[in-house]
Amino acid sequence: MSSNFLSRPIDISKFGLIFAGAQKNVGCAGVTVVIVREDLLGLSLKECPTILDYKIQAGNASLYNTPPCFSIYIMGLVLEWIKNNGGAACMEKLSIIKSEMIYNVIDQSNGLFVCPVEKESRSRMNIPFRIGSMKGDSALEREFLDKAAALGMMSLKGHRSVGGIRASLYNAVTVDDVEKLADFMRHFKETNQ
């Protein structure tokens, strides 16, 4: 799991192992959460590095190596914040509200904004889109990013391997933040279509 970790309730009993790069919704970059079903402990292959042998980790209270103390501290604060704000169930409700706001603007833009992901496969956490066409118009996308940055909306540039725009709506992004982005997108559509 990665950017969707703790963005909705999950039944962990359905998994033998959950390996979550949890830095998006739970803490600092590099934080990893591992949940292993106990009956799987001790079944690692002989080639498995000691650090990834979860029986050794479990036997040492996850302290076999020096842990990243500050990252774990921050994760504890974030987990407390999630708990105090309704837990994973509330994070899911907010995630649905936030993602629908942006997808609605995209879907009602008459083709100015184009999401390359089929509706049934769309992420609530990361919304990629192009401006002008499915391949994107580099001038329009640059203008969008520049105007967004002038309004304090940062990190909207798409992933370096695919380009375009990417709105990341992690748990800490508020509904108000997303409303501002949706309003900006509507205004951008009005002035560029």
Side-chain angles (χ1 to χ4, degrees), residues 25 75-87 91 94 98 170-174:
N25 274 331
M75 185 174 69
L77 295 176
V78 174
L79 290 171
E80 189 69 26
W81 176 85
I82 290 172
K83 179 181 171 186
N84 291 339
N85 284 281
M91 296 300 113
L94 291 172
K98 294 185 299 187
Y170 304 126
N171 288 346
V173 176
T174 68

Side-chain angles (χ1 to χ4, degrees), residues 6-10 82-83 85-93 171:
L6 281 181
S7 69
R8 61 186 169 89
I10 58 163
I82 290 172
K83 179 181 171 186
N85 284 281
C90 185
M91 296 300 113
E92 180 177 38
K93 289 176 186 171
N171 288 346

Side-chain angles (χ1 to χ4, degrees), residues 62-73:
S62 296
L63 296 171
Y64 183 75
N65 291 71
T66 303
C69 298
F70 182 73
S71 298
I72 292 170
Y73 171 74

Side-chain angles (χ1 to χ4, degrees), residues 94-113:
L94 291 172
S95 179
I96 291 167
I97 291 167
K98 294 185 299 187
S99 61
E100 284 181 354
M101 268 193 260
I102 301 303
Y103 283 124
N104 286 340
V105 173
I106 292 169
D107 293 341
Q108 296 167 9
S109 72
N110 297 319
L112 180 68
F113 301 117

